Amino acid sequence: MGMIAHLQEEKAAVLMEAKQFQQVVEQKSMHDQEAIEGLREVIARIEKEKCELEEENEFYRSIEVTPCADRGEHTCSKHAVAYRTFLLC
């Protein structure tokens, strides 16, 4: 009889330890999912910023720059001046 009681106590202890371990694993999993979601948001923000910068880069590449014969300087097209004015506002 004593052996059965001892085995039942041991079984209960193992089951309790398994439940605690399962709770720890679930908490860690939730934390990991939150971290992954945060990183996805950061990646999305960086991708959006990258696209905006690529569009701006393409705009600047499309601006015609012509040398000014008398001064050796460069003058930009009216579109570039308008865009720069827009950025300063």
Side-chain angles (χ1 to χ4, degrees):
M1 224 27 184
M3 182 67 137
I4 293 174
H6 174 72
L7 290 174
Q8 288 175 339
E9 288 174 11
E10 195 173 308
K11 177 182 175 183
V14 168
L15 288 175
M16 184 183 299
E17 186 178 342
K19 285 181 183 180
Q20 289 173 347
F21 182 74
Q22 184 177 5
Q23 288 176 347
V24 168
V25 168
E26 288 172 358
Q27 289 173 352
K28 184 176 180 344
S29 177
M30 284 179 30
H31 178 268
D32 291 347
Q33 287 299 323
E34 290 171 1
I36 288 169
E37 184 59 33
L39 291 172
R40 284 184 177 146
E41 290 172 6
V42 168
I43 289 170
R45 190 187 78 229
I46 290 171
E47 287 292 326
K48 180 181 176 189
E49 185 177 335
K50 177 186 168 199
C51 289
E52 290 169 356
L53 290 172
E54 286 174 348
E55 288 174 5
E56 185 177 347
N57 186 30
E58 285 301 315
F59 174 80
Y60 280 117
R61 286 177 188 251
S62 70
I63 295 173
E64 294 178 25
V65 177
T66 56
C68 184
D70 17 327
R71 295 188 204 139
E73 298 175 353
H74 290 82
T75 58
C76 297
S77 69
K78 63 181 178 184
H79 300 290
V81 174
Y83 184 72
R84 288 188 184 133
T85 304
F86 171 75
L87 289 178
L88 294 175
C89 293

